[in-house]
Amino acid sequence: ELARIADTLRSMRKNKRAIEDFADSEELIALVEVVANLSTKAELEREIRRCIDGEGRVLDSASRELSDLRNDVKDVQALIMTSLNETMARKRDALQDRIVTTRYDRFVLTVKASQKSKVPGVVHDSSSSGQTLYIEPKEVKEQNDRMRVLARKEQALVEKVLTDLSALVGDEADDLEMVQYALTRLDLAQARARHSIALNAVQPKFCSRSSDEGYVLDLRGARHPLLLWQKRNSSELGSDFDEVIPSDYKLFSGTKCAILTGPNTGGKTVSLKNLGTAVLMARAGLFVCAEKARFPFFDKVLADIGDDQSIVQSLSTFSGHVQRLKRILQSATPESLVLLDEVGSGTDPAEGSALGMSLLQKLSNTVQLVMATTHHGELKTLKYTDDKG
């Protein structure tokens, strides 16, 4: 964890330096504000690097006492290896393999079980077959004991170094949280930028309800990002974004309700999802997958799309829609966008038409914009009988 903290500080330092090189750029003013007055704690990073390597191991340079102790460990280990090598040279016929290994942090030799008596010492383990014994020769017992003592001392010194570093990190906790927050914002900004570049997205522009161009909503060449990603990741030769059919949306200023109609599988539901996704992407600070994107800022996107039928909740198709419509009416604000798929469906056509008409008229007086799809003839001609159409 300490190594990762140092990595985080290093990343923040490099990012801050890169952004400050473009401090005069108006395009990066938001990023400059993120790193302004931010301390990257270079002293803390250097102290961690002095004591901890990239894998999180405590270095000899962490303290003089630790460095001296580890030198002692190396000296004792060299004595052990010398003694074991001499034993292997003398007892080669008794050995299963001429290698030095460890058992329970003690250096041992692999001895044939039938030749145990030829290598006096302590048996620490045996192989699963019982043919090999792991014996600590008596010549190295004292040095192995010494190694155990040194290992305990080393562990105590390592823990002291980690404790001291943790205390330093704790003293800078507030500033480190700010660094982490800033890095998260920068990472999110980069992810947004890469997403926009990958999908050829454009910057959306927010307008008032009465746009100077005469349109309250102007979204041209809009494509759903999921379809674009699917095409982008396709292994088919010659796959291209142009194969995803775009949609255009142009609504005159003052329009409160728009109704889409057409045959089944004609793309009505996708058109609703496409608009809702574009609005939500803009709200999230993402560029929009379109050739042009201009619409008001909607504070909420409320949708009734799909079938909410549930046996567990005792909801029929129609009652499922009613439940969702109830929540939409309760949550809607004058700045909301409402999307309704097959409004008035799931019940008798006459009743559904009456319900849909009342619902659209209510929402037209409540929200900023409502867009719905339908097959009901009465709803298709609503604009001719309602002055808000």
Side-chain angles (χ1 to χ4, degrees):
E1 293 180 356
L2 290 168
R4 287 199 291 269
I5 290 174
D7 290 340
T8 299
L9 292 174
R10 176 175 177 270
S11 178
M12 186 70 257
R13 176 168 48 81
K14 294 176 65 177
N15 277 280
K16 182 178 181 181
R17 184 184 301 127
I19 292 172
E20 288 177 342
D21 288 342
F22 298 91
D24 297 331
S25 173
E26 294 184 0
E27 295 181 352
L28 295 181
I29 187 170
L31 298 183
V32 173
E33 292 176 355
V34 170
V35 301
N37 303 319
L38 190 67
S39 174
T40 58
K41 300 299 175 184
E43 301 84 359
L44 178 59
E45 180 192 349
R46 283 195 295 269
E47 182 63 14
I48 294 176
R49 294 294 188 195
R50 184 182 70 83
C51 300
I52 306 291
D53 68 9
E55 301 298 325
R57 293 184 292 264
V58 177
L59 298 170
D60 295 353
S61 57
S63 74
R64 179 62 182 271
E65 190 175 0
L66 180 61
S67 177
D68 292 343
L69 183 64
R70 285 180 171 173
N71 286 332
D72 291 343
V73 169
K74 292 177 183 177
D75 292 340
V76 174
Q77 185 174 334
L79 290 175
I80 293 173
M81 296 304 296
T82 299
S83 179
L84 289 176
N85 285 328
E86 291 174 353
T87 300
M88 285 191 292
R90 295 195 313 269
K91 309 289 186 179
R92 64 168 61 94
D93 294 336
L95 301 179
Q96 195 72 266
D97 296 294
R98 294 192 63 184
I99 60 172
V100 176
T101 185
T102 59
R103 281 297 183 274
Y104 308 107
D105 298 325
R106 303 181 75 88
F107 290 95
V108 296
L109 297 177
T110 57
V111 180
K112 298 175 183 177
S114 59
Q115 302 291 321
K116 172 185 173 183
S117 60
K118 292 186 177 181
V119 184
V122 179
V123 178
H124 286 285
D125 200 359
S126 64
S127 64
S128 57
S129 65
Q131 298 298 311
T132 302
L133 300 179
Y134 296 91
I135 297 179
E136 175 190 8
K138 63 180 182 179
E139 294 87 354
V140 297
K141 183 180 184 304
E142 183 178 346
Q143 289 93 335
N144 268 332
D145 292 340
R146 176 65 175 159
M147 283 288 292
R148 293 288 293 274
V149 172
L150 293 176
R152 286 194 291 270
K153 290 183 178 180
E154 180 185 3
Q155 182 61 31
L157 290 176
V158 166
E159 289 178 359
K160 182 179 184 302
V161 170
L162 296 177
T163 299
D164 292 344
L165 287 177
S166 297
L168 291 176
V169 170
D171 293 339
E172 306 291 352
D174 292 340
D175 288 340
L176 292 177
E177 287 184 359
M178 293 179 62
V179 168
Q180 182 68 22
Y181 177 67
L183 270 179
T184 301
R185 293 183 63 185
L186 294 177
D187 188 48
L188 181 58
Q190 185 179 57
R192 290 168 174 165
R194 288 182 174 180
H195 181 273
S196 302
I197 293 171
L199 300 186
N200 297 330
V202 300
Q203 180 179 357
K205 295 182 179 180
F206 295 111
C207 62
S208 62
R209 297 187 184 186
S210 55
S211 172
D212 295 337
E213 297 183 7
Y215 298 102
V216 68
L217 187 148
D218 189 2
L219 186 61
R220 304 179 193 176
R223 293 176 170 88
H224 199 287
L226 290 181
L227 296 178
L228 293 180
W229 277 114
Q230 185 181 48
K231 184 59 62 176
R232 187 176 187 272
N233 296 331
S234 174
S235 59
E236 299 177 4
L237 295 177
S239 60
D240 191 85
F241 285 173
D242 291 339
E243 296 178 18
V244 179
I245 306 302
S247 300
D248 293 340
Y249 307 77
K250 297 183 73 172
L251 297 178
F252 291 104
S253 297
T255 301
K256 302 283 289 181
C257 178
I259 297 176
L260 303 179
T261 187
N264 290 325
T265 69
K268 300 186 298 299
T269 301
V270 173
S271 296
L272 289 184
K273 293 181 177 180
N274 212 2
L275 175 60
T277 301
V279 170
L280 291 173
M281 289 176 67
R283 278 173 46 86
L286 291 166
F287 280 20
V288 176
C289 303
E291 298 170 4
K292 179 180 180 180
R294 183 182 178 89
F295 40 72
F297 183 86
F298 298 101
D299 63 351
K300 294 181 180 180
V301 178
L302 306 170
D304 176 22
I305 300 175
D307 188 352
D308 208 20
Q309 182 268 347
S310 173
I311 296 177
V312 175
Q313 299 180 21
S314 300
L315 291 176
S316 66
T317 298
F318 179 69
S319 59
H321 282 297
V322 171
Q323 288 286 352
R324 276 197 284 194
L325 293 173
K326 177 182 177 182
R327 292 195 294 269
I328 287 174
L329 289 171
Q330 291 172 340
S331 304
T333 72
E335 306 300 325
S336 298
L337 169 65
V338 176
L339 305 172
L340 305 176
D341 188 30
E342 298 294 348
V343 61
S345 63
T347 187
D348 178 78
E351 295 178 357
S353 295
L355 177 63
M357 190 174 299
S358 298
L359 181 64
L360 293 177
Q361 289 173 334
K362 169 67 175 177
L363 289 172
S364 295
N365 294 321
T366 305
V367 303
Q368 185 162 188
L369 177 64
V370 55
M371 182 173 286
T373 67
T374 186
H375 284 294
H376 292 302
E378 292 82 353
L379 298 182
K380 297 177 186 179
T381 59
L382 182 60
K383 65 174 293 184
Y384 301 110
T385 58
D386 190 290
D387 55 6
K388 296 183 182 294

